[in-house]
Amino acid sequence: MKAAIHRRYGPPEVLSIEEVPLPSVGRRDVRVRVHASTVTSGDARIRGMRAAAIFRLPVRIAFGLLGPRQPIPGMEFAGEVEAVGADVTRFRPGQAVFGITLRGANAEYLTIRETAAIVPTPPSLTHAEAAAVPFGALSALAFLRDVARLVPGERVLVLGAAGGVGVFAVQVAKHLGAHVTGLCSAANADLVHSLGADAVLDRQAGPGGAVAGAYDVLLDTTDGTRFAEWRPLLAPRGRHVFLSFGPREMLQMAWTSWGRGPRVLCGFAANDPDELARVAGMLAAGVLRPVIGARYRLDDIVKAHREVDSGRKRGSAVICLSDPP
Ligand SMILES: NC(=O)c1ccc[n+]([C@@H]2O[C@H](COP(=O)([O-])OP(=O)(O)OC[C@H]3O[C@@H](n4cnc5c(N)ncnc54)[C@H](OP(=O)(O)O)[C@@H]3O)[C@@H](O)[C@H]2O)c1
């Protein structure tokens, strides 16, 4: 099969396309013929081994010390079940499925445990649309509901509202009953409004462009923002929730948990199968919709990674493996 490959960490140019053997199917595995995959900010981070210094060793231990243990990148996938192991009960060949794993999705075939994050694709979605969902939607749910503990009627400001996580954060926050403001480039304002945001702010204005003390939750999907700079926008016990963080934010999380002022919160999203089933239900009900900012062929994997590295990705960068982009 054809797959994207990188055997060392580095810039997008470490990636190439190769012919590799089909992944084998264990007794409890499902082999998926991948019709669409994506390049997420997470894929680009692993490829470039970009993590805060204190996380670099654990991340290398998890993915491979000198180069990735699994050389095929890619987390999100959508396609159809091509083969199942002898003990598989939940899936059958020919079924349309989508899901998320850690590596291996930027290839024509992928093998995954039937109990991992893989679910039937709602009939209303194309493969490309389904592939554009899990990373952003699972992150938005985990950070708004579990980390921020958002309650109906609260006011949320989403920083990076047009990005892979941001487009779902706007929709999930609305679904949870919040008043939502999105911050993005002027060129993405219409998109963020169309996702249901009550207000949209231009990122050029920075923190000065928003009303002081107005927000209960600041969901921060951008890199390099500082709590000190955005803190004045938070209500007295507001939460600045960081998706991308380092030791500074971890220390701030510890000391702001004691005081009476605004707090810092950090966390991680997980590839949870039950959560993904919940997301599939929300897609089927029309509560969530995917945003595809760009489509690439697998042969254009380097170009797709360059777009993600630019920090200007809009929604998802989808890799179309069977349908024309
Ligand atoms: N902790 C976790 O478990 C977890 C899970 C998922 C993601 N993450 C992290 O969350 C971050 C966001 O992920 P993503 O997939 O949404 O990334 P993405 O799709 O690459 O997001 C890019 C967006 O960020 C906006 N942006 C970039 N710099 C900005 C700035 N200085 N101010 C305002 N907006 C800015 C851009 O919007 P405009 O072009 O409109 O300005 C662009 O739409 C990444 O660092 C990722 O690693 C963490």
Side-chain angles (χ1 to χ4, degrees):
M1 68 168 184
K2 214 161 133 179
I5 295 276
H6 68 103
R7 294 195 171 77
R8 60 187 177 89
Y9 302 115
E13 294 69 28
V14 297
L15 285 153
S16 60
I17 302 297
E18 288 185 19
E19 280 293 329
V20 297
L22 271 185
S24 57
V25 187
R27 296 187 72 86
R28 297 179 61 204
D29 290 342
V30 174
R31 188 162 64 205
V32 178
R33 165 93 169 89
V34 180
H35 288 296
S37 183
T38 63
V39 178
T40 66
S41 58
D43 295 315
R45 266 184 191 280
I46 298 165
R47 186 217 70 232
M49 195 35 72
R50 283 197 311 263
I54 60 160
F55 295 135
R56 242 168 259 156
L57 184 61
V59 173
R60 277 187 184 261
I61 290 169
F63 288 97
L65 271 181
L66 302 177
R69 218 171 283 121
Q70 158 59 287
I72 304 174
M75 297 177 178
E76 294 174 309
F77 62 89
E80 67 191 273
V81 175
E82 180 259 344
V84 296
D87 296 341
V88 167
T89 56
R90 296 169 56 195
F91 297 97
R92 52 180 165 67
Q95 200 174 3
V97 290
F98 76 113
I100 182 164
T101 180
L102 286 180
R103 301 272 296 171
N106 293 162
E108 288 176 328
Y109 292 87
L110 157 96
T111 299
I112 184 167
R113 274 285 160 108
E114 74 159 333
T115 48
I118 170 173
V119 295
T121 304
S124 54
L125 266 71
T126 64
H127 293 304
E129 288 168 336
V133 173
F135 181 81
L138 291 177
S139 301
L141 260 181
F143 281 91
L144 286 167
R145 190 196 54 201
D146 306 335
V147 179
R149 296 179 183 235
L150 186 66
V151 297
E154 285 196 309
R155 301 179 71 91
V156 178
L157 174 60
V158 179
L159 303 188
V165 177
V167 295
F168 287 102
V170 170
Q171 299 178 79
V172 168
K174 278 309 291 178
H175 179 63
L176 295 176
H179 179 280
V180 182
T181 303
L183 182 117
C184 60
S185 310
N188 290 328
D190 287 348
L191 166 69
V192 174
H193 266 304
S194 77
L195 297 170
D198 300 288
V200 178
L201 300 175
D202 187 342
R203 77 177 253 197
Q204 288 298 333
V211 181
Y215 301 98
D216 302 293
V217 174
L218 216 154
L219 189 83
D220 194 342
T221 77
T222 65
D223 288 331
T225 323
R226 285 175 180 258
F227 173 53
E229 229 187 315
W230 291 84
R231 182 189 165 121
L233 302 192
L234 285 166
R237 207 55 184 137
R239 294 89 84 197
H240 189 154
V241 181
F242 285 91
L243 275 75
S244 167
F245 54 89
R248 182 180 58 217
E249 289 74 28
M250 289 162 75
L251 282 172
Q252 287 171 336
M253 180 160 76
W255 68 254
T256 59
S257 69
W258 293 99
R260 291 217 198 114
R263 292 162 59 189
V264 167
L265 297 172
C266 311
F268 293 101
N271 296 343
D272 183 284
D274 296 334
E275 283 289 274
L276 190 62
R278 194 161 294 131
V279 165
M282 292 166 88
L283 288 164
V287 169
L288 295 181
R289 74 166 166 96
V291 175
I292 298 177
R295 294 173 195 246
Y296 298 90
R297 294 173 197 281
L298 184 61
D299 290 342
D300 291 329
I301 190 80
V302 172
K303 223 164 126 186
H305 270 255
R306 284 188 192 132
E307 187 210 341
V308 178
D309 277 6
S310 74
R312 308 309 300 263
K313 178 160 71 67
R314 192 176 143 101
S316 294
V318 171
I319 306 287
C320 299
L321 286 110
S322 51
D323 308 328

